[in-house]
């Protein structure tokens, strides 16, 4: 191998992320001790008990199966609370593209299960919302709390 190619390899190794799943801007994630389906069941129960409305549950793996494509278990839970989401939309309606809130639960390559969600602070920064800090803080706490409870043994 030439000296130039050796340096190029070192530079690429230092720059290219080794864990692209966690490289997504604004993504928060934590491991679950349950299957994908059970984790989503637990998330659904937690958000409903807290007064959130569940709008949909999307089974991406089932969708992939209908077109004969393999996909490990992957589900999306879509939910929200209009009294919080509307406040954000009153500040900047474009945030509606990121609302309602979502949890993505997937089986990782190592067989473990992960729960992912968009950080509310990242979402509001993305849309230039600077006047709703108390709402954002409550959303962040609730999202982390529900995910932590759903993931626990």
């Amino acid at each position: 191998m030439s000296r130039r190619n050796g340096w190029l390899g070192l530079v690429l190794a230092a720059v290219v992320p080794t864990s692209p799943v966690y490289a997504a801007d604004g993504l928060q994630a934590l491991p679950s001790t349950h299957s994908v389906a059970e984790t989503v069941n637990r998330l659904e129960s937690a958000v409903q008990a807290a007064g959130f409305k569940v709008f949909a549950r999307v089974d991406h793996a089932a969708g992939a199966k209908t077109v004969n494509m393999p996909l490990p278990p992957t589900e999306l839970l879509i939910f929200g609370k209009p009294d919080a989401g509307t406040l954000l939309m009153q500040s900047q309606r474009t945030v509606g593209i990121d609302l309602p809130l979502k949890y993505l639960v997937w089986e990782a390559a190592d067989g473990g299960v992960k729960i992912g969600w968009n950080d509310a602070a990242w979402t509001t920064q993305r849309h230039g919302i600077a006047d709703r800090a108390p709402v954002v803080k409550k959303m962040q706490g609730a999202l982390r709390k529900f995910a932590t409870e759903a993931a626990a043994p």
Side-chain angles (χ1 to χ4, degrees), residues 108-130:
D110 65 3
V113 172
K114 307 287 186 202
I115 304 171
W117 66 95
N118 285 327
D119 178 27
W122 174 84
T123 300
T124 54
Q125 180 183 16
R126 176 177 185 224
H127 295 279
I129 300 171

